[in-house]
């Protein structure tokens, strides 16, 4: 999938389910950057049998639990789930499974995970800050710094081209 298609078909619809203060070019660029970094927007299930699901490679005991337990994101996560017609008692394992095939849900959860960070999202010229925020929120096991800058630049190109 191209970054532009992910932006149009998952990120923008997810933004419509979230408060306006969570939607911005910075947020869209970070979501695209992370999806490219995590899965190259090609793999909904982590390659090699890992636990990551969806283009943002959420893990049940990592990002899913983080979004569902953090005070800044829990209420918004519940609203997103209800808006997407998931029952109020949807469990952590069920959400984890749904993230693999529901790109709007996955994009919303990715944005909510970033929202748990205290600092503002990086600007177009702040790739290093974007990397730091990605590491803080995703805590990847095998972080590949060498690919981040290109993904960050490509993400911003997609966001500014479609804006």
């Amino acid at each position: 999938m191209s970054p532009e298609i992910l932006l149009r078909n998952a990120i923008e619809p997810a933004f419509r389910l979230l408060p306006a203060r969570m939607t911005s070019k910075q947020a869209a660029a970070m979501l695209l950057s992370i999806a490219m970094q995590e899965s190259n927007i090609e793999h909904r299930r982590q390659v090699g049998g890992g636990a990551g699901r969806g283009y943002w490679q959420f893990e049940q005991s990592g990002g899913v639990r983080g979004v569902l337990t953090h005070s800044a994101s829990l209420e918004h996560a519940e609203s997103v789930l209800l808006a997407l017609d998931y029952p109020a008692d949807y469990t952590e394992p069920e959400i984890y499974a749904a993230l693999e095939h529901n790109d709007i849900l996955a994009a919303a959860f990715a944005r909510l995970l970033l929202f748990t960070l205290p600092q503002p999202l990086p600007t177009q010229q702040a790739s290093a800050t974007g990397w730091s925020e990605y590491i803080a929120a995703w805590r990847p096991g095998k972080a590949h710094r060498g690919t981040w800058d290109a993904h960050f630049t490509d993400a911003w190109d997609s966001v500014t081209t479609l804006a």
Side-chain angles (χ1 to χ4, degrees), residues 8-59:
R8 289 283 187 226
N9 293 342
I11 295 171
E12 290 175 355
F15 280 178
R16 289 192 287 276
L17 302 176
L18 297 168
R21 71 181 184 277
M22 290 188 203
T23 66
S24 64
K25 286 183 181 181
Q26 290 89 346
M30 277 297 287
L31 293 179
L32 284 175
S33 299
I34 293 167
M36 288 187 274
Q37 184 74 15
E38 285 289 316
S39 68
N40 206 31
I41 317 175
E42 293 177 4
H43 309 285
R44 294 174 185 275
R45 186 175 283 245
Q46 188 171 350
V47 175
R53 297 293 182 266
Y55 292 129
W56 287 273
Q57 299 291 293
F58 266 72
E59 295 183 8

Side-chain angles (χ1 to χ4, degrees), residues 48-120:
R53 297 293 182 266
Y55 292 129
W56 287 273
Q57 299 291 293
F58 266 72
E59 295 183 8
Q60 182 176 321
S61 61
V64 174
R65 184 168 296 150
V67 168
L68 294 176
T69 59
H70 197 284
S71 61
S73 57
L74 174 59
E75 181 180 324
H76 302 297
E78 291 171 347
S79 294
V80 166
L81 288 164
L82 289 173
L84 293 173
D85 205 26
Y86 291 101
D89 61 349
Y90 217 55
T91 66
E92 191 176 286
E94 290 170 320
I95 293 166
Y96 168 70
L99 291 172
E100 184 173 355
H101 299 289
N102 188 329
D103 297 337
I104 296 169
L105 178 63
F109 266 59
R111 178 60 185 106
L112 290 169
L113 187 57
L114 284 172
F115 192 69
T116 65
L117 298 175
Q119 62 271 25

